[in-house]
Amino acid sequence: MPTEIRTRTITYTVEVQHAATATTDAYTTTETRFRQETYLVEIPDLAAPPSQDVIPPDAILMRTEDFEDDGDGVLDADDTLLASVDYEEGAIVAGADGAFTDDAPLVTASNETLNTIVATSPSTTTTTYDFDLIGADAPLSRAELEAEIEVWNADYASGVVPTDPANVYGTLYVPGEVYATFGDYHFVDPNSGAYVGRDAVLAATGLPATATTEDILAEGYVSDTFENYIQRHVDATNQIIEDGNARIDELVDEYGLDPADYPHIGEFELRRVVIVDAAAGSPNVALTPDDSYGDYTLNVNYAEWSSSAMAVNDATQLAEGVVRTDLEEGLMHEWGHQYFLMPDGYALSTVGEPIASDPVLADVPPALREFWMYPPQLMTNNTLTFSDYTLLRLSSDIATFGTIDTRAEDYRYPEGQLPEQFAIVLPPDVASIDIYRTTHPDANNYAQNLDTSFSFHVDDPAAGDFIIDQPFLLGWTDGAGVPNAGDSQGLIGVKLTMDDGSVQFRWIDTQAVITGSLLGFETPRLEFEWGTDSTDPFDEAYRGVEYSDAS
């Protein structure tokens, strides 16, 4: 159900009569309060009394909670709950807005009575959403959806739709069942204010699996709304962009680049959330409105599935310390495909866990045998950040095309960005170097072994730059001859056998090499730490790469 959080700053003028001295003093004080209003039963118009045929008898229409701010200006668990009121059927009258009232008598001391309390015009802010919600009252049929898209396309063609070329635009389609049942699976914890799924609520309360939503609400929980849920993900996506733009600036400064060649990524704007009925089917790319770079459709069981997914913390994400339990990062990952037009990290590297058992790697330190697609990012393991590759790719599209709306490039290497050669920096005392490429991916886009048919061995290589001719197999191409990353062998393993017989190892994928090209280096030089027996593959220093030009 919809929730509004209002912030009110109230100035009180207080007159206190002192019985002993027969004098009166006036005091002025200001305090901040929060009011959280949750509409537990939606009705068409709160300004008019509901009718019995709309609201069940004795139903709670709205719960209002007043909190006194602890001084930080944020509604949180440290604030004091002053009062909680449930408005029942028939209790809401026309024009009621839940204004603060202070009618109770107050006594400051045994001989001092508070005469007057005057609240000056309070300032109020109300939670809003950044997208249009369409079809909430009546999900759109397929025909209605197609008619709406014609209107949206006409508006876009006429120029009345605000559009920034640097921004990212999308449309989200939601089955009516998901929208209608979302509040049965997603809740707000009454004590912590945390967003929790149904399974977590049952575990915390001891309620049985057969518990109804009403049983959960009786425990003090409040149903989250689908609108709130989506807005949180929009906000989190824009935070990734904001952090990413700061990283672009760091790269520009670090490598002495021209800022004009590396523009910022604009905001992510979800144009609209459209509720569709089952007969509408699953809209596909043919139904992408012209004002959006892509569309995405939630599965019909998304309400239930996502409530459980929010409680599952990936071990890698936990290690990075970036897990947010109020988000389902997989949704944002899919938005990265449909709206930002970015490929999966594994589609560019194509490696899976079975590769660790390859006999060629028998003398490689065990912790290094699996490629963990470093550095972690949203498009690899759903971590809430964009990698340098993703950031530079998006910025490059804006600089080159004026927009990231380059839909034909999804899952493909940008033309000209994979160099003919690149260099890696070898340490001293290397007895030999062996380079292997991964096998072609299976049906799930995971390579299973090293491709020993493609390998080369060099004895006594000199320390310093070691030039490698482009080793990646670009695989199949589409009709236009553009290499498709999802069908490619985009990862090599480099093994160094040292003079003392020890082994050092490093994975290098196409993203690492293309990042050097995106930084403007004709022949990128990649300098990094080589993995040894003591290396932690999750260590940030090990994952990092420094770039320069070996031309």
Side-chain angles (χ1 to χ4, degrees):
M1 294 299 109
T3 298
E4 292 182 357
I5 298 176
R6 302 181 182 182
T7 305
R8 294 175 181 264
T9 302
I10 304 174
T11 301
Y12 295 107
T13 300
V14 180
E15 290 183 358
V16 178
Q17 291 181 341
H18 302 278
T21 61
T23 59
T24 301
D25 289 328
Y27 301 92
T28 299
T29 183
T30 300
E31 70 177 47
T32 300
R33 290 192 187 177
F34 299 101
R35 163 153 290 184
Q36 179 167 283
E37 297 177 348
T38 302
Y39 302 100
L40 304 179
V41 177
E42 279 193 280
I43 55 178
D45 184 5
L46 279 176
S51 60
Q52 289 287 344
D53 61 337
V54 175
I55 303 299
D58 301 322
I60 296 176
L61 300 183
M62 183 174 75
R63 173 172 295 143
T64 297
E65 297 176 323
D66 291 344
F67 295 85
E68 183 176 4
D69 182 26
D70 64 345
D72 62 2
V74 178
L75 177 58
D76 53 32
D78 295 325
D79 297 318
T80 303
L81 177 62
L82 301 177
S84 179
V85 179
D86 289 338
Y87 294 87
E88 297 183 356
E89 198 280 327
I92 298 180
V93 297
D97 64 355
F100 284 107
T101 59
D102 293 272
D103 299 324
L106 299 176
V107 178
T108 59
S110 60
N111 65 341
E112 295 179 352
T113 302
L114 185 62
N115 281 353
T116 59
I117 298 179
V118 179
T120 61
S121 301
S123 59
T124 301
T125 58
T126 302
T127 302
T128 58
Y129 307 109
D130 296 336
F131 49 82
D132 292 334
L133 182 64
I134 300 168
D137 296 328
L140 273 60
S141 67
R142 182 78 172 200
E144 290 171 332
L145 176 60
E146 293 175 349
E148 287 286 351
I149 290 177
E150 289 185 7
V151 174
W152 301 333
N153 290 347
D155 288 344
Y156 180 70
S158 66
V160 300
V161 179
T163 301
D164 185 329
N167 282 1
V168 181
Y169 299 99
T171 291
L172 179 66
Y173 297 120
V174 183
E177 181 180 351
V178 173
Y179 184 74
T181 63
F182 193 81
D184 296 327
Y185 295 98
H186 290 258
F187 300 91
V188 182
D189 188 304
N191 299 312
S192 66
Y195 296 97
V196 292
R198 174 184 165 85
D199 292 345
V201 173
L202 298 184
T205 61
L207 288 171
T210 56
T212 65
T213 301
E214 288 71 24
D215 294 333
I216 294 175
L217 297 180
E219 295 288 330
Y221 287 83
V222 176
S223 289
D224 191 15
T225 69
F226 186 76
E227 294 91 331
N228 283 338
Y229 177 83
I230 294 300
Q231 185 64 53
R232 290 200 302 275
H233 288 76
V234 171
D235 293 342
T237 302
N238 276 308
Q239 185 61 56
I240 292 175
I241 293 174
E242 182 178 338
D243 295 342
N245 285 331
R247 175 59 180 160
I248 290 174
D249 291 341
E250 290 178 358
L251 292 170
V252 166
D253 291 341
E254 179 180 352
Y255 291 101
L257 307 173
D258 185 348
D261 294 333
Y262 296 88
H264 280 185
I265 305 162
E267 292 185 354
F268 168 53
E269 183 177 330
L270 190 61
R271 295 278 197 191
R272 59 189 65 86
V273 174
V274 187
I275 315 302
V276 296
D277 66 20
S282 178
N284 51 40
V285 69
L287 292 179
T288 300
D290 293 343
D291 63 5
S292 300
Y293 296 169
D295 64 76
Y296 185 60
T297 306
L298 298 181
N299 190 282
V300 292
N301 65 352
Y302 184 81
E304 179 178 4
W305 176 87
S306 59
S307 72
S308 300
M310 286 174 62
V312 178
N313 291 327
D314 180 86
T316 305
Q317 293 172 297
L318 286 173
E320 297 293 325
V322 293
V323 171
R324 281 182 53 175
T325 57
D326 62 335
L327 299 175
E328 199 285 286
E329 292 90 345
L331 176 63
M332 298 161 64
H333 173 98
E334 297 304 327
W335 286 359
H337 293 317
Q338 304 303 323
Y339 304 146
F340 290 78
L341 312 174
M342 294 304 300
D344 284 310
Y346 60 76
L348 293 171
S349 300
T350 58
V351 65
E353 293 183 8
I355 202 169
S357 63
D358 194 292
V360 172
L361 301 179
D363 55 353
V364 172
L368 306 179
R369 294 176 189 172
E370 296 177 9
F371 179 61
W372 288 93
M373 292 179 278
Y374 39 79
Q377 63 140 338
L378 185 67
M379 301 316 298
T380 54
N381 70 340
N382 299 351
T383 303
L384 297 178
T385 185
F386 278 151
S387 68
D388 290 352
Y389 166 81
T390 299
L391 292 170
L392 292 171
R393 163 79 185 274
L394 293 171
S395 179
S396 173
D397 283 344
I398 295 171
T400 304
F401 306 107
T403 175
I404 72 157
D405 187 14
T406 53
R407 304 181 196 187
E409 288 193 276
D410 192 20
Y411 280 87
R412 299 184 175 96
Y413 298 108
E415 185 177 357
Q417 290 179 347
L418 191 63
E420 294 181 2
Q421 293 180 321
F422 63 93
I424 57 176
V425 180
L426 300 184
D429 304 321
V430 177
S432 64
I433 179 172
D434 292 276
I435 299 180
Y436 304 94
R437 188 173 62 208
T438 55
T439 57
H440 194 280
D442 63 9
N444 295 315
N445 278 341
Y446 291 109
Q448 300 301 301
N449 291 288
L450 295 179
D451 183 0
T452 54
S453 66
F454 171 88
S455 64
F456 61 87
H457 173 94
V458 176
D459 289 319
D460 299 318
D465 286 0
F466 185 88
I467 301 296
I468 300 176
D469 292 333
Q470 199 287 98
F472 304 109
L473 178 63
L474 297 186
W476 304 330
T477 60
D478 64 10
V482 179
N484 187 322
D487 296 322
S488 301
Q489 295 171 243
L491 183 73
I492 59 172
V494 182
K495 181 170 69 173
L496 307 181
T497 302
M498 311 304 290
D499 288 341
D500 62 3
S502 63
V503 169
Q504 299 184 20
F505 188 80
R506 181 77 182 198
W507 294 107
I508 302 173
D509 74 339
T510 53
Q511 294 176 87
V513 176
I514 292 176
T515 296
S517 293
L518 292 172
L519 287 169
F521 300 126
E522 181 178 351
T523 304
R525 174 189 291 116
L526 284 62
E527 189 166 5
F528 41 72
E529 290 187 10
W530 290 90
T532 66
D533 285 324
S534 60
T535 297
D536 177 1
F538 295 102
D539 182 70
E540 185 174 350
Y542 171 68
R543 290 175 166 182
V545 179
E546 290 294 326
Y547 295 94
S548 54
D549 201 332
S551 299

